């Protein structure tokens, strides 16, 4: 049965995390600040952010909560609702990217008193310090904190890593009294992911989490870093009057779990896009430009795509067709045409499978089941498409019926993977949400 997500975070969730941090820090619960860092979905703009493409996104009412109090010194002490052990370090320690620890023989600097398996989950907190330090911020105040994700939810494909990174950035900035713009934090989180952790992704996830507004579609040009919010129109035929009441967001989980940084498929696709761009730029006499597909015009692609071997041609085809779908999707959203918007999402999903060649049999089966579900307007993989879940927009009054259909049909196709979902919902019914923020209970 589909699970409705409801208001997030609820007062009970906030009270629970405040109480936990108060116990950890021996401070009053009223002193506890809570970072709300939502997960994001990307209806259109799959796999083109790292090439400087145009993308769309919105946040959902599920995500990361980080309760914290500023320390009296530089000490950071963290516990997690999902992982065992305790992470501790100081904000004035110099943080080096993970590959530098491995190559320079500096592994012993990483809290050798803590078992490695217990401190790995603290990498994003350390990465946040690295990002802030690398831009000259002088941090003097640590935090005592407790971080947790939405209960019972497999967050793969929903940008959980970016949500975690942003949560730590906002917490450290709040504790140290730093005024940082969303645009600056997009860059800081990119430093966490690209430089500190070595993941070659773009800036879509961070941008969506930091720039979104409930009910709007966030449009972003990843080359210029310019963004705008596309407000939906009032829907005259809907008795409640707003587009947001006409649809729900379905998240259908596959049971697949694979960390993005350990899957070679993601970084290999990025390299293939860059190789295609380089060949096309050389063919058009622009070889001095950065080899990303946003530097290639559609006309140049059409004129010279025969010079690309098959795989590279497919990657470029996905980029240019997806860019076009994003632009059409923004027009559809702005005019309230959910039917066309959904059809473009489904076409994006098909191109991800055929041209970008991500996905695997279980995810593709889940995509195909969603296409048959009652009331589904459009569907595609959520996230990189190498694990995780599919997203779908569905008519609001058919959301629960669609969720039940998908859960039953997927279980028939993948009983073993479906059995891995016993601790959480197989299909979650969500609403749009707001951007990341800090809740100060004392203000």
């Amino acid at each position: 049965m589909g699970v409705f997500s409801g208001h997030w975070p609820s007062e009970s969730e906030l009270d629970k995390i405040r109480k936990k941090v108060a116990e950890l820090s021996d401070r009053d619960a009223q002193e506890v600040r809570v970072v709300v860092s939502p997960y994001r979905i990307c209806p259109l703009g799959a796999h083109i952010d790292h090439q400087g493409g145009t993308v769309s996104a919105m946040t959902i009412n599920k995500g990361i909560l980080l309760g914290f109090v500023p320390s009296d010194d530089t000490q950071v002490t963290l516990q997690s609702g999902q992982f065992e052990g305790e992470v501790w370090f100081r904000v004035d320690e110099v943080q080096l990217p993970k590959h530098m620890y491995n190559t320079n023989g500096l592994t012993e600097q990483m809290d050798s008193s803590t078992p490695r398996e217990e401190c790995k989950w603290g990498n994003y907190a350390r990465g946040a310090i690295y990002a802030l330090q690398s831009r000259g911020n002088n941090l003097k105040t640590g935090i005592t904190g407790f971080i947790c994700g939405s209960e019972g939810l497999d967050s793969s494909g929903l940008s959980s890593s970016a949500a975690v990174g942003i949560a730590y950035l906002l917490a450290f900035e709040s504790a140290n009294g730093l005024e940082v713009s969303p645009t600056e934090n997009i860059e800081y989180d990119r430093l966490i992911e690209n430089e500190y952790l070595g993941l070659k992704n773009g800036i879509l996830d961070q941008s969506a989490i930091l720039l979104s507004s409930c009910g709007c579609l966030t449009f972003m040009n990843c080359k210029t870093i310019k963004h705008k919010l596309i407000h939906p129109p009032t829907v005259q035929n809907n008795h409640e009057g707003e587009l947001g009441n006409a649809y729900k967001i379905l998240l259908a989980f596959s049971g697949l779990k694979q960390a993005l940084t350990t899957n070679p498929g993601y970084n290999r696709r990025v390299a293939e896009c860059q190789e295609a761009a380089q060949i096309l730029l050389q063919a058009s006499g622009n070889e001095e430009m950065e080899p990303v597909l946003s530097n290639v015009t559609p006309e140049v692609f059409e004129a010279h795509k025969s010079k690309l071997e098959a795989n590279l041609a497919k990657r470029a085809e996905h980029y240019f067709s997806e860019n076009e779908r994003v632009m059409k999707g923004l027009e559809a959203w702005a005019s309230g045409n959910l039917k066309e918007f959904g059809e473009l999402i489904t076409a994006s999903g098909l191109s991800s499978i055929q041209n970008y060649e991500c996905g695997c049999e279980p995810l593709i089966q889940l995509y195909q089941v969603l296409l048959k579900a009652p009331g589904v307007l459009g569907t595609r993989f959520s996230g990189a498409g190498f694990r995780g879940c599919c997203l779908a927009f569905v008519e609001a009054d058919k959301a629960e019926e669609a969720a039940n259909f998908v859960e039953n049909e997927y279980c028939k196709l993948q009983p073993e993977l479906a059995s891995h979902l016993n601790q959480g919902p197989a299909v979650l019914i969500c609403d749009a949400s707001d951007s990341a923020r800090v809740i100060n209970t004392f203000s």
Side-chain angles (χ1 to χ4, degrees):
M1 183 178 201
V3 178
F4 285 89
S5 57
H7 176 72
W8 180 78
S10 66
E11 281 304 317
S12 62
E13 286 176 297
L14 290 172
D15 288 344
K16 183 177 177 182
I17 200 166
R18 287 169 186 147
K19 182 179 178 182
K20 179 69 176 178
V21 175
E23 292 172 355
L24 288 174
S25 61
D26 198 26
R27 303 268 279 275
D28 191 281
Q30 288 301 307
E31 296 180 59
V32 177
R33 310 173 195 181
V34 181
V35 180
V36 179
S37 189
Y39 298 143
R40 70 93 187 97
I41 59 168
C42 171
L44 292 165
H47 300 293
I48 61 174
D49 61 324
H50 51 72
Q51 296 300 298
T54 52
V55 297
S56 72
M58 62 173 60
T59 46
I60 61 171
N61 54 346
K62 288 287 181 181
I64 298 294
L65 297 178
L66 170 58
F68 71 97
V69 291
S71 304
D72 295 325
D73 51 25
T74 60
Q75 185 64 41
V76 175
T77 305
L78 300 169
Q79 289 189 13
S80 166
Q82 274 75 36
F83 303 102
E84 294 184 0
E86 192 171 77
V87 169
W88 66 91
F89 58 91
R90 299 190 316 274
V91 294
D92 55 352
E93 290 176 12
V94 175
Q95 299 295 333
L96 296 175
K98 308 316 293 176
H99 67 88
M100 292 185 68
Y101 280 105
N102 295 334
T103 58
N104 293 347
L106 298 174
T107 308
E108 67 273 14
Q109 292 187 14
M110 296 180 60
D111 285 341
S112 57
S113 59
T114 306
R116 285 185 67 83
E117 65 273 17
E118 289 189 2
C119 63
K120 277 184 180 177
W121 64 265
N123 284 345
Y124 281 90
R126 291 176 178 274
I129 297 298
Y130 165 80
L132 290 165
Q133 287 174 344
S134 70
R135 292 298 184 265
N137 293 288
N138 184 20
L139 304 179
K140 297 180 179 179
T141 304
I143 62 172
T144 298
F146 179 80
I147 190 167
C148 60
S150 295
E151 291 185 8
L153 172 60
D154 174 10
S155 60
S156 54
L158 300 174
S159 72
S160 56
S161 60
V164 170
I166 288 166
Y168 284 125
L169 286 169
L170 294 183
F172 289 129
E173 290 160 2
S174 174
N176 285 274
L178 299 177
E179 295 288 334
V180 181
S181 70
T183 303
E184 288 176 290
N185 271 328
I186 290 170
E187 171 62 11
Y188 286 147
D189 194 70
R190 186 195 67 77
L191 292 174
I192 296 174
E193 304 238 19
N194 293 176
E195 291 190 11
Y196 190 77
L197 297 172
L199 180 61
K200 297 179 181 178
N201 57 347
I203 59 171
L204 166 61
D205 296 347
Q206 305 94 312
S207 302
I209 293 167
L210 287 160
L211 300 174
S212 290
S213 179
C214 189
C216 297
L217 192 66
T218 303
F219 162 75
M220 182 162 187
N221 182 317
C222 294
K223 184 177 181 179
T224 63
I225 320 298
K226 291 182 179 179
H227 78 282
K228 61 182 177 180
L229 299 177
I230 311 299
H231 293 263
T234 297
V235 179
Q236 302 299 328
N237 295 331
N238 187 279
H239 70 282
E240 292 181 296
E242 297 295 329
L243 183 60
N245 298 316
Y247 71 91
K248 294 286 184 180
I249 298 162
L250 288 189
L251 298 176
F253 300 96
S254 66
L256 287 168
K257 298 193 178 186
Q258 167 70 55
L260 200 54
T261 50
T262 63
N263 191 313
Y266 183 88
N267 285 347
R268 184 164 60 243
R269 296 296 189 282
V270 175
E272 288 169 341
C273 289
Q274 292 171 332
E275 187 179 348
Q278 189 168 31
I279 293 169
L280 292 167
L281 288 168
Q282 287 174 344
S284 59
N286 295 299
E287 59 269 11
E288 76 287 352
M289 298 182 77
E290 181 187 1
V292 290
L293 287 167
S294 59
N295 284 332
V296 179
T297 66
E299 293 76 18
V300 166
F301 170 60
E302 288 299 325
H304 299 288
K305 63 183 179 182
S306 61
K307 295 181 173 66
L308 300 174
E309 58 101 352
N311 277 355
L312 302 186
K314 286 181 180 180
R315 308 301 178 257
E317 176 63 37
H318 174 76
Y319 172 85
F320 288 104
S321 65
E322 187 71 354
N323 242 346
E324 187 176 348
R325 282 186 288 270
V326 172
M327 302 310 296
K328 289 181 178 178
L330 297 179
E331 293 177 8
W333 184 265
S335 65
N337 190 340
L338 279 175
K339 183 176 182 293
E340 182 184 354
F341 187 71
E343 289 170 350
L344 289 163
I345 293 172
T346 298
S348 170
L350 187 60
S351 181
S352 291
I353 294 168
Q354 293 182 341
N355 292 321
Y356 205 75
E357 293 184 290
C358 66
C360 54
E361 186 179 11
L363 268 180
I364 293 171
Q365 288 176 331
L366 190 53
Y367 166 82
Q368 292 169 338
V369 167
L370 278 158
L371 285 176
K372 300 173 186 174
V376 165
L377 299 159
T379 183
R380 59 168 294 265
F381 304 150
S382 184
F386 294 99
R387 60 165 183 165
C389 67
C390 290
L391 68 88
F393 278 64
V394 61
E395 295 170 19
D397 58 356
K398 294 182 180 176
E400 193 160 8
E401 183 185 357
N404 292 336
F405 175 88
V406 172
E407 183 172 349
N408 292 333
E409 292 301 310
Y410 183 68
C411 188
K412 294 175 188 175
L413 295 168
Q414 293 288 345
E416 185 176 347
L417 282 175
S419 70
H420 296 168
L421 298 166
N422 289 339
Q423 294 182 344
V427 184
L428 189 68
I429 302 169
C430 296
D431 289 305
S433 180
D434 264 320
S435 58
R437 58 205 181 274
V438 179
I439 299 175
N440 296 316
T441 56
F442 50 82
S443 60

